Amino acid sequence: MRILFLVHSFNSLSQRLFVELRSRGHLVSVEFDINDATTIEAVDLFRPDLILAPFLKRAIPETIWRRHACFIVHPGVPGDRGPSSLDHAILEGERQWGVTVLQANGVMDGGDIWAHAAFPMRRASKSSIYRNELTEAAVSAVLQAVEAFALGKEAPAPRSQAGLAVRVRPLLRQRDRAIDWDKDDTDTVLRKIRAADGVPGVRDSLFGRELYLYDARPEFRLRGAPGEVVARCGPAICRATANGAVWIGHLCDRRGEHPFKLPATQVLAGELEGVPERRGYEEIRYVEEFGVGYLHFEFYNGAMSTRQCELLLQAYREARSRDTRVIVLMGGADFWSNGMHLNIIEAADSPADESWRNINAINDLAREIITTDSHLVVSALQGNAGAGGVFLARAADYVWAREGVILNPHYKDMGNLYGSEYWTYLLPRYAGHLSARQISQARLPMGTVEASSLGLVDAVFDSARSAFVQSTVVRAGMLAGADNYQRLLAEKNARRSADEAEKPLEAYREEELEKMRINFYGFDPSYHVARYNFVYKVPRSRTPLTIARHRAVADAEPARSVGA
């Protein structure tokens, strides 16, 4: 079918559904919901059989839903209505939640139900639940609904919401999210911050400043006067609650010089004198078991600053020094890596200089992985990866990915950034020259099936994150204990030596950085403009032609009548 996505932005759920539906043979195009006129024009151009709204912040115009079947992906259970569905579920401690696919009509979230799927709630942030359990449920429900629609009269009819227990809940305001530090216990504070992470954050007052709080983790030992900042650790501050404490990793000062999310200790750099350093907010941790070292790096939103790259390089070198056979780079639960830390770059005195430091720090880490001659190295992608993070993962000998992971192996949307991380060596090495060109020129999200066919990924298994981690441990243990381990290691080192003799690794880096220097310091400001727009969340004025197929190509095929 011809399926048109109407979206507020091309977020992680929209990308996953885009990949899933295209892999099943559907022709999918995307339009950003900028205004009614633009949306109506997109529908007229594409002439879709079905319109799907995976992530929309306003109602579809009546002139559209009366003439076309429009499916809304609502992040709530049947009968739930309102714009803050998942936020409410986290705040109220729901143990089960779900996704409902319903047909748009004149009542917000009140249309006929085509499919729904349930999932158990974790104690986690809204963004983490959204990227994991909710996305998996949404894929299941949307595929069920699309198949039923395509079958028309042969499929079960959609269920009317008449007689269903309906619960209409309003948009959550900051007054509904406010923390009472004198009364709220740790669990309550965690739920309030997690229900607002990553949008809109919880507004609060600290050191006489109005700040928005994100990235909360529990603290089990430290105590203090409620609301007091009792410790700091890496990017995070620890703040006492009525019965304990929480770590807060990121803050936003919307009235300050840099009104976007930054590490809490950076935002409060001038106000933490005398606050002691304590352990408790771990970004990097190492676990060793049966000849395998597992290096976890849980960086917020997958962004890797210069400092984080340097700390990870130090941890990797320490892992190399251990008497093990295999090192597994586990990344984080939600993201493996998304490359450079654009927010920290934007806040720097010289964004160009910080960009240069950041890319060189990532390159140092990539080189250490590529030249490891003492271990076999695995990148295990529990979560999504983007830009330089994809190529950093490919620096390992093996890349294993969880089913459903989405990769964005391109830099071009960031102002035609050339990119580094030795991709000009790694892509031809693992994917071949033809696939390397295809990967580097594309700007579309990529699923694991395509990534595997192109050589970006070596093995794909398990859709549930917990199962993927368990399988990774089993596979890594088998690799470490394999009878042919020494032969595999020798072959790897022989190949690296041959590659080095043909063209030194440093030459690839110098060539890449020559182009990156132009991106950072040259006359073309497109990288700096694109980074600014990304960090400041500047709305798009048009949909990129890479995903707006209806605008990129004039399609004269007549519309077909499909479904009800």
Side-chain angles (χ1 to χ4, degrees):
M1 290 194 300
R2 300 166 68 87
I3 302 176
L4 178 66
F5 280 24
L6 290 182
V7 297
H8 175 73
S9 68
F10 200 37
N11 70 345
S12 60
L13 173 57
S14 303
Q15 291 184 26
R16 175 69 185 282
L17 290 172
F18 180 85
V19 167
E20 295 286 351
L21 290 170
R22 290 181 76 225
S23 72
R24 287 162 174 78
H26 298 291
L27 182 62
V28 183
S29 195
V30 180
E31 183 68 33
F32 289 168
D33 182 48
I34 296 168
N35 53 50
D36 285 2
T38 302
T39 298
I40 291 169
E41 180 186 51
V43 172
D44 290 341
L45 283 172
F46 193 55
R47 301 186 305 283
D49 301 312
L50 176 66
I51 296 171
L52 182 68
F55 176 53
L56 208 55
K57 290 192 174 183
R58 68 186 195 109
I60 294 175
E62 183 175 356
T63 54
I64 293 178
W65 62 255
R66 283 202 180 275
R67 293 188 296 115
H68 300 270
C70 300
F71 285 3
I72 309 296
V73 181
H74 176 65
V77 295
D80 175 86
R81 296 179 188 174
S84 302
S85 178
L86 187 55
D87 309 53
H88 279 289
I90 294 170
L91 275 177
E92 295 167 17
E94 297 283 359
R95 295 187 177 182
Q96 286 275 127
W97 204 237
V99 175
T100 305
V101 179
L102 46 90
Q103 189 160 347
N105 63 9
V107 179
M108 184 66 73
D109 301 328
D112 290 348
I113 296 173
W114 281 82
H116 63 91
F119 59 86
M121 289 283 279
R122 272 185 302 128
R123 292 190 173 187
S125 70
K126 176 175 63 173
S127 51
S128 179
I129 293 170
Y130 187 92
R131 280 189 293 264
N132 290 281
E133 290 87 349
L134 190 142
T135 291
E136 295 301 326
V139 169
S140 174
V142 166
L143 293 179
Q144 180 184 339
V146 168
E147 182 179 1
F149 179 78
L151 291 173
K153 293 182 180 179
E154 299 177 18
R159 178 161 62 112
S160 168
Q161 292 201 42
L164 191 67
V166 172
R167 188 177 183 185
V168 181
R169 294 189 283 192
L171 175 71
L172 278 170
R173 306 290 183 182
Q174 284 296 336
R175 62 176 177 270
D176 306 311
R177 304 179 187 271
I179 297 171
D180 185 336
W181 292 97
D182 289 323
K183 296 181 180 179
D184 289 347
D185 60 15
T186 296
D187 183 63
T188 302
V189 172
L190 285 172
R191 282 189 285 109
K192 286 182 175 180
I193 298 177
R194 286 170 171 173
D197 198 348
V199 176
V202 173
R203 188 173 62 210
D204 196 34
S205 178
L206 188 58
F207 297 111
R209 299 166 61 182
E210 181 182 277
L211 300 170
Y212 288 76
L213 317 182
Y214 308 87
D215 183 20
R217 303 184 188 182
E219 164 56 41
F220 301 102
R221 296 171 293 109
L222 298 175
R223 297 291 186 272
E228 178 188 8
V229 176
V230 296
R232 56 187 296 174
C233 178
I237 59 170
C238 184
R239 201 166 178 191
T241 65
N243 70 336
V246 295
W247 289 99
I248 300 169
H250 285 75
L251 300 170
C252 175
D253 182 354
R254 296 185 185 173
R255 298 178 179 178
E257 181 182 3
H258 306 300
F260 44 82
K261 293 180 196 175
L262 287 168
T265 50
Q266 181 173 339
V267 174
L268 299 173
E271 292 145 312
L272 296 178
E273 185 177 352
V275 176
E277 289 271 1
R278 295 286 188 269
R279 296 186 62 181
Y281 183 98
E282 282 188 317
E283 291 186 289
I284 300 171
R285 61 186 177 90
Y286 176 79
V287 180
E288 196 172 293
E289 184 176 292
F290 301 118
V292 181
Y294 299 90
L295 189 57
H296 299 256
F297 38 104
E298 191 79 50
F299 299 138
Y300 189 62
N301 287 338
M304 298 173 64
S305 67
T306 301
R307 168 191 158 276
Q308 289 167 323
C309 291
E310 291 169 348
L311 290 174
L312 186 55
L313 174 59
Q314 179 183 343
Y316 182 80
R317 285 172 172 164
E318 290 173 0
R320 280 193 63 180
S321 70
R322 300 289 299 167
D323 185 21
T324 53
R325 288 185 156 201
V326 174
I327 298 172
V328 183
L329 305 172
M330 295 296 295
D334 293 329
F335 294 101
W336 197 86
S337 170
N338 282 323
M340 294 193 303
H341 201 309
L342 299 179
N343 282 34
I344 287 182
I345 290 171
E346 186 65 33
D349 292 338
S350 170
D353 288 347
E354 184 55 36
S355 297
W356 186 254
R357 285 190 289 268
N358 203 162
I359 195 64
N360 274 284
I362 295 179
N363 280 353
D364 290 344
L365 175 60
R367 180 181 177 85
E368 192 77 15
I369 296 169
I370 293 168
T371 59
T372 296
D373 58 5
S374 55
H375 294 70
L376 295 177
V377 185
V378 178
S379 292
L381 278 61
Q382 306 173 60
N384 300 342
V390 177
F391 305 115
L392 182 65
R394 187 60 279 183
D397 306 310
Y398 308 95
V399 179
W400 301 341
R402 179 177 61 82
E403 292 176 7
V405 161
I406 296 296
L407 307 180
N408 277 281
H410 53 82
Y411 308 89
K412 291 183 177 296
D413 283 347
M414 194 50 60
N416 274 322
L417 197 64
Y418 186 77
S420 194
E421 295 92 8
Y422 299 92
W423 74 265
T424 54
Y425 165 70
L426 293 167
L427 284 191
R429 160 76 171 80
Y430 289 99
H433 289 280
L434 188 62
S435 293
R437 179 173 177 79
Q438 179 180 341
I439 293 166
S440 63
Q441 295 302 312
R443 298 191 186 190
L444 295 176
M446 184 183 296
T448 50
V449 173
E450 183 181 2
S452 181
S453 71
L454 292 173
L456 279 176
V457 169
D458 300 305
V460 179
F461 47 91
D462 296 317
S463 58
R465 186 170 59 82
S466 58
F468 174 78
V469 171
Q470 292 173 2
S471 296
T472 294
V473 170
V474 172
R475 286 169 176 253
M478 292 175 63
L479 184 61
D483 293 337
N484 64 341
Y485 172 85
Q486 292 298 340
R487 178 173 62 81
L488 291 174
L489 186 62
E491 289 175 352
K492 161 194 170 172
N493 291 333
R495 175 65 182 267
R496 174 84 280 281
S497 296
D499 288 349
E500 186 69 16
E502 181 178 340
K503 181 177 179 177
L505 200 56
E506 195 61 25
Y508 291 97
R509 177 170 179 162
E510 290 174 359
E511 291 168 1
E512 292 169 2
L513 290 180
E514 182 179 354
K515 292 183 171 61
M516 291 289 274
R517 185 186 294 275
I518 295 172
N519 290 142
F520 297 156
Y521 296 102
F523 290 107
D524 181 1
S526 56
Y527 157 68
H528 298 289
V529 171
R531 186 195 64 246
Y532 177 94
N533 290 341
F534 175 85
V535 171
Y536 281 87
K537 305 291 187 282
V538 176
R540 295 261 195 170
S541 59
R542 60 190 291 271
T543 310
L545 295 181
T546 49
I547 55 176
R549 182 185 178 95
H550 54 286
R551 297 192 182 278
V553 180
D555 192 334
E557 180 185 341
R560 300 185 304 278
S561 176
V562 180

